[in-house]
Amino acid sequence: MANVLKYFKENQEILDLYTTAITRAHKEHHPEVFGVKKIYTAIQDKIQSSITDTINLDLEFTELRKLTNNYAIPTDVCPTFVATYHMLEQADHIYEEI
């Protein structure tokens, strides 16, 4: 669990920026990015409010996988979109290793 928390803390600034950026850039053709941003924010809220290193993110990662079709990258997106999905997928893999 500590590894995924560390990953999110180390990448929070960039993920905050990227998840916001993709909602602005891709809102018309990929409205699912609003759900991605909402789930990412929920994960950050859980991390921020936790007093221990034990956080259950099963629901959030299940929802992310479902919403993103297992982090599939659409063909018409920018590099920031690609990076966002790759970073969230990496966090998911770290979480699954627990």
Side-chain angles (χ1 to χ4, degrees), residues 3-15:
N3 288 340
V4 77
L5 296 178
K6 180 181 176 189
Y7 182 85
F8 273 119
K9 287 178 182 178
E10 288 175 352
N11 293 288
Q12 180 180 357
E13 188 175 322
I14 197 155
L15 278 167

Side-chain angles (χ1 to χ4, degrees), residues 28-43:
E28 292 178 16
H29 298 321
H30 297 285
E32 70 276 8
V33 295
F34 291 102
V36 170
K37 173 69 173 171
K38 183 177 179 181
I39 295 166
Y40 167 72
T41 301
I43 290 170

Side-chain angles (χ1 to χ4, degrees), residues 35-63:
V36 170
K37 173 69 173 171
K38 183 177 179 181
I39 295 166
Y40 167 72
T41 301
I43 290 170
Q44 284 300 328
D45 289 347
K46 276 189 172 184
I47 290 170
Q48 303 277 334
S49 64
S50 176
I51 56 172
T52 69
D53 282 346
T54 305
I55 300 173
N56 185 325
L57 299 174
D58 292 347
L59 177 63
E60 288 80 6
F61 281 119
T62 298
E63 287 293 315

Side-chain angles (χ1 to χ4, degrees), residues 18-42 63-64 67-68 81 84-85 88:
Y18 283 9
T19 56
T20 299
I22 65 172
T23 61
R24 292 181 181 149
H26 297 283
K27 61 186 171 196
E28 292 178 16
H29 298 321
H30 297 285
E32 70 276 8
V33 295
F34 291 102
V36 170
K37 173 69 173 171
K38 183 177 179 181
I39 295 166
Y40 167 72
T41 301
E63 287 293 315
L64 274 174
L67 187 61
T68 64
F81 190 114
T84 303
Y85 274 33
L88 292 171

